Every structure is written in C-alpha cells, then in structure tokens.
Amino acid sequence: MAEAVEKELICPICGDYFTSPKGLPCLHTFCRDCLKSHIMSQINKGQFSCPMCRTSVPAPEEKPRSEWVDVFPTNHHVVSIMDIVVPNFEPIYCKICKERGLRHKAVKHCKICVEDFCMECARLHNLFNATKTHSLSEIQNKQRKPDTRPSASKTPDRSYKSNYDNYIIKAKFKGSIDLKTDHGDEPSFITSLIFLEDDRIVAADNCNYKIKLFESEGKFVSEICQVRPFGLTLIHQTYIASTEAGYIKFFHVYPNKIKIEKTYNAEWKIYTPHAVPVSNALRGLHYCNGQFVVCSGDDLDKHVTVLDANGKNQRHIWKKNSFRGNIFKDPWYCKLSDNLEDIYISDGTGVFGSVKCVSYHGQEKWEYSCQMPRAIDIIGNHVCVADWREDEIKVN
C-alpha cells in the first residue's frame, strides 16, 4: 500500500518527487518547473496540451506564456500526502545550473569542491584538467526517488544504442546573437534558423507569426507575417521554404526584405502564394538534392512525409508494419542524408524522447534515447541534436 501511494507522488515528467505540484483541469499533476518547461515548448499560441492525456488546456487570459503555470492551482492534496510519506523533502539542485537560472536536480557530489552537480555538469566536471581527477559520489539523499523512466524501446534489428551520454564530444562555443526587434512583439519563440551563404540569418518566430531576416551579427533587417511558421530550409542560395498551417511555402530573400513566391492561377487570373498542401501540424522541414522531408505532429497522424522538388508526395512514413503501431511518438525535426538513403528524426513526448534513423523507405535502423530532442543536423559523420531539457547540443 505504501509503495502504491509513493508512486502517486512522482512527477511523470522528471521521475522525481513532486516539487511545488501544479494541477491541470484534466486532474493530472506535475512539478511547477516541469510544467513550465512543457508549456514553453508548446507551439500553440492560445493553448497547450497535457503531457499525459494530451487534453488541450486553454491559455490563461492576458498572461505571458512564462506566467501561465502560476495560474493553475497547487495540488494541496498531494502536498499533504508528501508531508506524511516523505516529510521534510527538499530537492538538491545543481549549483552550476542554479547560477544559470535553471533548476536541474543534482545527482552527484564532489567532496573536494563541496558542490552538487546534475549528470551533465558532473560529466563536464570530469572533463576539465583542473577537476578531472576529482572523485564524484552519488548523492545519498533517502528522499530522492530513483529515475524510473523507461528507456526508449529497441528497434526490430536490435541495433539500438543507449543514452547519448556516452557519445557526447566537446565543441567550442563561438558566441550568441540576440535576435530582437523593436516592433512590440511578444517574446520570440524561434522554432527554426537557417544561415544564408552570405551569413545572414533567417528565423521562424512561431509565437509572433513571422519570418525574420537578420544580418550576420544579429541586426534586424526585415520580416514577413505568416500563419505560424515553424520549420525552415534552404533550397538554393537565397531561396527558402517554410512549413505552416498544413502547407510548405516558398520565399525569396533579397538584401533588404523577404518576399513570398507567387504563381499565376489561370482559373482565377491572379497571382497566389506558391504553397504545397501536405498535412496539419507541420513542424521541421529539410530539403536535399531535390527531395523534401517534413514532420507532422497531428495528434491523430504523427508521421514523416517525403516529397519531390515539385511537392509531389513520394512516401508517407509512420507505421512499423501493418500489425504494429506508429514509429513516432511526436516527430519534431528531420534531416535527410546527402545520399538520400537515411532520414534522421528528433521524436518524443514530454521527456520520453529519442533520435531515430530510418531508411528512405521507412525501415527503422537505430535509435538513441534523448530526453527532449528538437533541432537536428548532420555535420560530417556526426549527428547533432539540441536537447531542450538539458539545454545543450549533443553530438554523436
């Protein structure tokens, strides 16, 4: 009985005891910080979905997205049970992450430095010359619940490779650019970036319904309003494509502006935007050697579509086979290899994510667990993925 009660005190997102539990209208409960991270990762401007049951939750009126979480009530029932089952519970947070304004729970302790680290910071601690000889021990906190999250399922050929942690390589941080405009926009939610051959930057701002153009150093140049753009891909020099509201649209980038490409409609005798209909909830997009790949996160039809250069549907990848379920939990971004043989996809719901490789014909090749994978790229022989939860770029 006690074990069954204790399970009810575990956050489905972080796998640890609840911290400041917040309840949603669907009656599911999450840590405040876990729920806030989930809300900030959602692409719908006026709502978000419950991480457990996917029920749509309307956005609180006249509140910025970062404050939505505080509108929902604290689950005092859970707090009362925790006071009995795990009294005086206080999570230990990573010191380095706290200095960066993050709240990642610590799992390792350095007796020499007398500091606590999350798993990623602990690994970095062992990489620096000054501290690589330090011995790290598990935090002996009896109130901490071990990580009970299931690992990603193995692929049929059992070529599954475990967590990315064993495959991270060091990368040199070059710098950051603050992409801001003076147009009174809400805080930007950049879902895609591409660099043109002259180093100018094109960004999809999903929150403000715009595609924006910046100089290489981050100076704002121009923007064009669109219906919730998400993915961007470079087709040729200054010719790009974007996903939005069930369509792939095409744009020309000029020195001082972005202009949507139009085609002549003989029936209507007018020029209309060049748009290829695909499916609802389009996300990441990539063009390579005459082929497009695009992710769809529609609740009822999560898949990856392959199209030719003219937008003709070539292939629809979603089922393992006629008897098994969907390959994807929630595909976000995708990348097609130069030889058109492999497609790499960041996939996952909540913190149960992975990076997958499937063949051009949809056969699963391998899968890496990665908590909240988002943008993905191929550099040489390496697969690079942005981990939203860990706030880092992982390289295989």
Side-chain angles (χ1 to χ4, degrees), residues 125-337:
H125 193 69
N126 282 333
L127 287 176
F128 296 132
N129 290 331
T131 58
K132 65 182 181 181
T133 59
H134 293 190
S135 177
L136 301 181
S137 60
E138 296 286 340
I139 292 180
Q140 298 301 315
N141 184 350
K142 294 183 180 180
Q143 305 298 341
R144 182 174 303 283
K145 183 71 176 178
D147 191 352
T148 57
R149 290 171 295 188
S151 60
S153 58
K154 295 185 177 182
T155 54
D157 62 3
R158 300 191 181 275
S159 60
Y160 177 89
K161 299 180 181 179
S162 60
N163 199 290
Y164 251 103
D165 292 349
N166 296 325
Y167 299 89
I168 293 178
I169 64 173
K170 291 185 289 184
K172 184 177 180 181
F173 177 68
K174 186 176 181 180
S176 62
I177 297 174
D178 193 3
L179 301 180
K180 288 186 177 180
T181 64
D182 298 323
H183 295 181
D185 288 348
E186 292 186 23
S188 297
F189 182 45
I190 304 299
T191 51
S192 188
L193 281 175
I194 54 175
F195 290 84
L196 305 180
E197 292 185 356
D198 58 4
D199 290 336
R200 286 183 299 161
I201 304 167
V202 181
D205 185 349
N206 185 268
C207 183
N208 290 294
Y209 297 72
K210 295 176 179 178
I211 296 177
K212 300 178 178 180
L213 175 64
F214 298 86
E215 295 290 354
S216 58
E217 68 278 5
K219 181 181 177 181
F220 174 73
V221 177
S222 181
E223 63 186 20
I224 182 171
C225 294
Q226 292 297 305
V227 183
R228 299 184 61 201
F230 193 99
L232 292 173
T233 188
L234 180 65
I235 299 175
H236 178 67
Q237 294 183 338
T238 57
Y239 186 41
I240 67 173
S242 168
T243 55
E244 57 171 82
Y247 292 88
I248 297 176
K249 292 187 177 180
F250 300 84
F251 303 84
H252 293 278
V253 183
Y254 296 98
N256 297 313
K257 64 180 179 181
I258 303 174
K259 190 174 181 180
I260 191 167
E261 183 178 65
K262 294 186 177 182
T263 57
Y264 184 71
N265 188 311
E267 182 180 354
W268 295 351
K269 297 183 179 180
I270 59 172
Y271 284 91
T272 58
H274 182 193
V276 175
V278 184
S279 64
N280 294 325
L282 294 185
R283 292 174 175 168
L285 170 73
H286 182 228
Y287 174 86
C288 181
N289 295 331
Q291 299 283 298
F292 287 99
V293 286
V294 59
C295 293
S296 172
D298 189 293
D299 284 342
L300 300 177
D301 186 15
K302 302 180 186 301
H303 63 270
V304 171
T305 302
V306 181
L307 308 99
D308 64 18
N310 297 317
K312 184 179 179 181
N313 194 332
Q314 299 286 96
R315 181 163 289 104
H316 197 64
I317 302 172
W318 66 292
K319 278 193 174 182
K320 296 176 183 289
N321 57 46
S322 57
F323 302 103
R324 301 178 65 191
N326 201 323
I327 295 176
F328 307 113
K329 294 179 181 178
D330 210 1
W332 289 91
Y333 293 85
C334 51
K335 201 76 174 181
L336 182 61
S337 63

